[in-house]
Amino acid sequence: MSPKPLDYESLNENVKKVAYAVRGELYLRASELQKEGKKIIFTNVGNPHALGQKPLTFPRQVVALCQAPFLLDDPNVGLIFPADAIARAKHYLSMTSGGLGAYSDSRGLPGIRKEVADFIGRRDGYPSDPELIFLTDGASKGVMQILNTIIRNGNDGILVPVPQYPLYSAAISLYGGSLVPYFLEEEANWGIDFNSIRQSVAAARSKGITVRAMVIINPGNPTGQCLSEANIRELLKFCFHENLVLLADEVYQQNVYQDERPFISARKVEIIAKILFDMGPPISKEVQLISFHTVSKGYWGECGQRGGYFEMTNLPPKTVDEIYKVASISLSPNVPGQIFLGLMVNPLKPGDISYLKFATESKAILESLRKRAHIMTDGFNSCRNVVCNFTEGAMYSFPQIRLPLKAIEAAKKAGKAPDVFYCLKLLEATGISTVPGSGFGQKEGVFHLRTTILPAEEEMPAIMASFKKFNDAFMEQYEDYRGYSRM
Amino acid sequence: MSPKPLDYESLNENVKKVAYAVRGELYLRASELQKEGKKIIFTNVGNPHALGQKPLTFPRQVVALCQAPFLLDDPNVGLIFPADAIARAKHYLSMTSGGLGAYSDSRGLPGIRKEVADFIGRRDGYPSDPELIFLTDGASKGVMQILNTIIRNGNDGILVPVPQYPLYSAAISLYGGSLVPYFLEEEANWGIDFNSIRQSVAAARSKGITVRAMVIINPGNPTGQCLSEANIRELLKFCFHENLVLLADEVYQQNVYQDERPFISARKVEIIAKILFDMGPPISKEVQLISFHTVSKGYWGECGQRGGYFEMTNLPPKTVDEIYKVASISLSPNVPGQIFLGLMVNPLKPGDISYLKFATESKAILESLRKRAHIMTDGFNSCRNVVCNFTEGAMYSFPQIRLPLKAIEAAKKAGKAPDVFYCLKLLEATGISTVPGSGFGQKEGVFHLRTTILPAEEEMPAIMASFKKFNDAFMEQYEDYRGYSRM
């Protein structure tokens, strides 16, 4: 009998090709162990509230009031909500027609897109146009839509950093494009190596691939590096010369843990470059650029609310119309997530009733993340055969694990990639649920794992001690005079 | 100079092919008129709260408390929230790890998937498995994911009713498949004509198309008909013989305005058929079936919250794994929307403190919709050259407009499709924003418009009077002794 349309062999091949490690074998095994009663520390995904981070109070008050607008008429509302939360809820409700239960425009509520534009304008020093800002159910949905717009067939290539966040590889597979990898330099603190990029592009072209876009993740996921202005300028120049769209994943822009390289947006660098260098007709040297942001990261960590946006720079109106049309198919991004986004880009100001509490909460989270970045990096670097760059930004640590040949052979025997083998053993021994480096890409024969820096600060020393105990025993067990995996 | 990657001519051709009328020319013109200060009645999209329907109080109380869990410790919380809302908020918070701000599993929270399974089991009389239920950001996102899983290339065909909800045509274009239309019979109250379906399939096959799936919308959008059990059984038999997946869009299952044909799910019919008729090995006569539901419709109308689910029947586990993997790319559906879904499928019971209020609110909405369905159908049928089937279910009225040849010629001169021409004139004259029938598909030379039945009941008589005034004047103006569009 012929297979049915939804039997495995009948499915869209692109769906089958998708690999998505963040919730892959390690996550599934961790979920099983949890069901069996084992305590699991889920550091596989940047999900701060799941690891105990408390939400900021003020935005939650505002959204709660927007969900229950009848409370605004309750004489007792002032007993449990501060006046500025009440005022802000009225502000957002006035932007909707029908409250949170009504579809918004498919691009999001105009009032909130205006607040996003104001935020971008303040951040970059150059005004932004709300018509070029689309709100989305988290940044990932925006990235997926844009990749679907760019990719025409298997000969369209997208430059993606390696290691990368697997959203990119997964979405490129799903839409049938070709991932063109460029390697970040671990020895240069995961910096960009332009020679490597040029080689990748040349190699892809020789295979008949039209490279059409380049992804940067700044601050880096999983690698944690922060790009300098000079680096970004160089990237834009490259994109201009090679005729690439730059997709700037800037979701970690609030998560910076060093002071030498504060976050600078690709958009700002592009605008400055245009003003300084563009001597030809106004359109000649523009780079098409789309940047992504979210309420899931920063000190907000509101992952479950699914709020995000993308902003388009130098895109022609006809293309913006097409993107709008496709966004319309699923009607509208969720409205509560839009309000979180509004609150994030238009935060409380000194003098507001709730400001002090809001500022104290935000600062405490960010300072603690900075401390945790240090505890984790130092912890990894104290372990046998582990080396780790400092987490300059984002929420991850990506240590390299130098595996003894004996461990690599044992992994082979068990039918596992060596880093998967290591991470599974780590999980079984300690409950720490990480993602093997192979899920993000790494140089042949070099092994890593990714973990978030999100476990509670007070639990961090015990977790790192538990990691060290496991690792050092593992290295002892598999010690091999013949040598180790490559660096 | 060669075009840039996001210039219109460089885009994915499938993106350009997408047509989406619900927010198309009419909607854009209506938005412009609104900006200019004209009062617009947006009946282009089934968005009840935007037209004044109040949200049900109890679910909003529960979700507000989940958003602001710190209120649960506030000694004053009992002054503005009833005890059962507090208890239910704790119930849902206990299902999360990290509250609404944490990503859930990509399939949704296990506890809520269990509540959905219990609901389906009660509804159909046959138990449902939570592992085969995935929560989504509204039903549309689920439909899109499933179509993306089925469609492999341009030779894969999906049977779609005509008139149809343009989500289907748009998503099929986007994923590069072929829409295979089957016509609903307007004269038989938009019933299914199996001869027409067989002809469509044969015609598609002769063009080299592999028909892989069939969409039904029950109750119908835009056509409002309710399918009988016998009809659905026949459809399933057809799907079995033709080896098709059945995609059952059942988002209007609460919206039924007649008593002869209460809603019956395709899943229930399939299970009964299997029990009664399956004499061969247990798997032989199964039809693969996916059904969709949402919090956006019914008496909930919580469109902006983006909550929905799909349930898979007779799918092999390997395919379910693939669907899970792809759902993981965008991490998780929004968590507040999941809680609305839980509240919808597990509503208050008689005896609960808030039950009476909840039941009163729900009943009032449903009864009013039933009345409005009548007012609207009767209103249309009182107009010159307008004929309209009764809205048995869903939220729409889809009258046929018999256009005089003179009007058709005037439309041609204006460069518009005749129904677009009529709807634009209606919009300019009355502020009523409808969608031309061509956006849903209709037989060649026959014209319709779609409007929702959602304007407030008390405004309905005035709206229908305003429609009649415009229509009858229009028919007067374009009166043509030569004749009319076909019926």
Side-chain angles (χ1 to χ4, degrees), chain B residues 123-135:
Chain B
R123 184 195 65 189
D124 292 347
Y126 301 94
S128 162
D129 179 357
E131 294 299 306
L132 301 175
I133 294 163
F134 282 27
L135 311 189

Side-chain angles (χ1 to χ4, degrees), chain A residues 371-419:
Chain A
K371 275 188 228 154
R372 285 180 265 173
H374 281 283
I375 298 172
M376 201 155 230
T377 310
D378 293 348
F380 283 130
N381 282 320
S382 79
C383 293
R384 197 164 152 184
N385 300 334
V386 178
V387 283
C388 185
N389 284 319
F390 175 61
T391 299
E392 297 178 343
M395 292 183 168
Y396 309 97
S397 186
F398 197 65
Q400 185 187 134
I401 316 290
R402 297 202 66 204
L403 292 175
L405 294 181
K406 208 165 136 189
I408 296 174
E409 287 161 6
K412 208 173 170 185
K413 220 170 140 185
K416 306 279 178 201
D419 53 355

